[in-house]
Amino acid sequence: MDNQAEVREFLTSRRAKITPGQAGLPSGSRRRVPGLRRSEVAALADVSVEYYAKLERGNLAGVSPAVLEAVARALQLDEAERAHLLNLAHAADGSDVLTRPRRRTAPWKAHRSLQWVLDAVTAGPAFVRNGRMDLLALNRLARAFYDDVYATTGNQANLARFQFLDPASRRFYPDWGQAADVAVAILRTEAGRNPHDKDFHDLVGELSTRSDEFRTRWGAHNVRHHGTGTKRFHHHTVGALTLAYEGLEMAAAPGLTLTVYTAEPGSAHEEGLRLLASWAATQNVGSPAEQGAD
C-alpha cells in the first residue's frame, strides 16, 4: 500500500470528523469543509500551516514523536488512531524496509501447549486469529461455533471473507453492519501495523473488488483496538447467542490474538453454548488440532 496515500487519507478523514465546536473554535458561517481547516489543525498542534500541509500530503518521514503527539491531540485521536498514526510514521521512515520486505508470511501452526490451553476452555469458544482475521487455532466449541465459516471452502477460514462474501454471514451476525464496521477497522489497524504482508494486500484487493460494502468501509480509514465487549450471533443449530468476549494479545506471537467467548452464567445463552457443545459431539466435529491452523 502507498504509505503517503495512507497517511494523506487518514489525516484528511480524521480532520473531517472534528467540528470547530468540538475543538473549542468558533464555527463561523462560511465554512466549506465538513470539519476543521488545515490552518486550524496547525494552530491547535502549534506548527506552521505549511508544515501541517506537508504532513497531510503524506510526508511523515522524520517527523518527531512530539509533533506526532501534538497532531494526535489536535485531531482528538483515540488510542487506536494514535497507534495507527505512529505505525504509519514508522513505515514512512523506511527503517523496516530491509527487515520487513513485502512478502508472504510463512504458515503458522499452534504449538501443542497452546492447543492444550485452547482445549482446556470447555465452556465457550476459544480461538487464535491474526490481523488478517484468519482462524489459526480453535478449541472444539469454536470449531462448532464457526461452522458456517468452514462450510464454504472459499472462505479459507477467514472471518473477513466470510463477513463480506458469504451470504450466511447475514444470518450469523444479526447486527451485520456493526460487525462489518468492526471487521474493516481491525483490517485497517493491521494495514498500519504490518504494511508489508503480501497475503494481507491480496485479501484487501479481493474484498475491494468483490464487495461494495467492504470498499465503502475501507475508504473511511477507521481503526480500533478490539479487546472486549459483547456481540450477538445466530447459530444455525442453537439459534440466538449473546456472548461477551475478551481478546488477549499473545506475547509469544506478536500480531496474534487469543479470543474467548463466554455467556452470562445462568442465562439462556449459556444453555445455548451447552447445546452447541452437544451438537458438536453428535456431529463428530474434528479434533481441534486437525481443524486449526494449516
Side-chain angles (χ1 to χ4, degrees), residues 15-16 18-20 23 25 31 33-38 40-41 44 74:
R15 177 164 61 86
I18 304 297
T19 66
L25 301 172
R31 304 187 68 86
V33 294
L36 296 180
R37 300 185 177 101
R38 288 193 185 93
E40 292 168 332
V41 177
L44 290 168

Side-chain angles (χ1 to χ4, degrees), residues 35 101 235 293:
H235 191 273

Side-chain angles (χ1 to χ4, degrees), residues 37-51:
R37 300 185 177 101
R38 288 193 185 93
S39 59
E40 292 168 332
V41 177
L44 290 168
D46 196 24
V47 298
S48 70
V49 176
E50 294 76 13
Y51 188 74

